Amino acid sequence: MIIAIDGPAGVGKGTLAKKLATHYSMSYLDTGTLYRAVGLSVLMAGQNPADTTAAASAAQGLDFNFKPVDGSFRAFIADQDVTTKLRTQDVGQAASVVSAIPAVRAALKDFQVHFAATHSTARGVILDGRDIGTVICPHAEVKFFLDARPEIRAQRRVKELREAGREAVYETVLAEIIDRDDRDRNRSDAPLKAADDAILLDTSDLGIDDVFAKACAVVEKQRARANKSAS
Ligand code: DC
């Protein structure tokens, strides 16, 4: 089984994906990490994320620098473990810029499609991102599209950053979220949008346990349907 989870920045895709992956013992790929690794790689080389040639060559070189360790993905750039650096706001912005470049998306597509195919046959696989239900896994058995008001997403992000001991100004975080939404939704190649057959979940007024319970109900239904057609 493949579960696709798409949605804008800060909507809780990763939290839901990890909870589902633990609950159902499924594999999980956070595809935003790939774009973040490309963005960080470009920044570390002192180049501009909007530079198509630099971004495309960073994406094409990613296979060799992005290694799984202990079952979870850790990113290495020039032998340096940069996993924690990937989560910063600057890297998120750079990721959004490089992800609008078609050559970058093309370079990362095979890895994602292959990951989904190789892990779907065992206990199943979950991928989260922006184009999983529309481009990477259009055949996914379960598709979720999560959304929430930008103000709520900014509040959650500020809380998360402060809890991690980082400084965060609400207005700045909100502006970045709006900026990223705009770029992710309006790019020409694989823009952020719900697949026609995706289940929409607005998480603005829901806690993670509520979102998880709703998602589990959908997955259970699909599992029952698959068991029935197999018997
Ligand atoms: O989910 P995230 O915040 O880690 O993603 C960072 C950026 O990467 C996001 O702004 C857009 C891009 N992205 C994408 O274009 N397609 C994906 N499947 C995942 C992320």
Side-chain angles (χ1 to χ4, degrees):
M1 175 190 283
I2 299 178
I3 301 179
I5 306 179
D6 290 304
V11 76
K13 301 184 295 289
T15 310
L16 174 62
K18 279 184 215 142
K19 272 182 90 78
L20 287 172
T22 305
H23 186 72
Y24 291 110
S25 301
M26 290 181 170
S27 305
Y28 166 49
L29 176 64
D30 166 4
T31 64
T33 308
L34 301 170
Y35 293 93
R36 283 173 182 266
V38 175
L40 179 58
S41 179
V42 172
L43 292 177
M44 282 173 71
Q47 291 165 316
N48 183 343
D51 178 337
T52 308
T53 312
S57 101
Q60 283 148 10
L62 204 60
D63 262 1
F64 308 102
N65 300 331
F66 196 70
K67 307 171 190 166
V69 173
D70 300 334
S72 60
F73 279 99
R74 301 192 74 82
F76 292 80
I77 295 174
D79 284 338
Q80 201 187 328
D81 187 340
V82 295
T83 311
T84 53
K85 287 190 185 160
L86 293 179
R87 302 312 315 167
T88 64
Q89 291 289 105
D90 287 354
V91 173
Q93 287 295 338
S96 175
V97 173
V98 299
S99 71
I101 299 169
V104 169
R105 304 202 73 80
L108 301 183
K109 187 174 175 183
D110 281 356
F111 176 80
Q112 298 172 74
V113 170
H114 188 251
F115 186 94
T118 49
H119 292 85
S120 62
T121 45
R123 287 181 168 273
V125 64
I126 303 173
L127 285 87
D128 79 31
R130 303 292 188 287
D131 61 342
I132 308 303
T134 50
V135 176
I136 302 296
C137 302
H139 53 291
E141 287 86 348
V142 177
K143 297 180 187 177
F144 294 112
F145 190 89
L146 268 49
D147 211 349
R149 294 189 292 280
E151 294 76 12
I152 301 273
R153 289 187 274 134
Q155 277 167 18
R156 289 180 188 157
R157 184 77 186 128
V158 166
K159 187 166 171 270
E160 207 177 275
L161 288 167
R162 289 185 183 153
E163 279 171 3
R166 302 216 195 106
E167 278 182 29
V169 179
Y170 171 78
E171 287 73 16
T172 312
V173 172
L174 177 61
E176 282 175 0
I177 279 187
I178 292 172
D179 186 42
R180 208 129 76 83
D181 278 4
D182 183 54
R183 201 180 302 113
D184 294 349
R185 286 185 207 273
N186 295 312
R187 66 181 177 223
S188 54
D189 192 11
L192 167 67
K193 68 168 185 205
D196 290 341
D197 51 350
I199 288 154
L200 306 182
L201 286 175
D202 190 318
T203 72
S204 301
D205 303 309
L206 293 177
I208 177 59
D209 290 340
D210 301 317
V211 177
F212 178 61
K214 280 179 188 284
C216 282
V218 174
V219 174
E220 293 301 336
K221 219 169 161 182
Q222 174 57 33
R223 279 156 71 104
R225 207 176 296 148
N227 285 341
K228 206 170 162 193
S229 58
S231 62

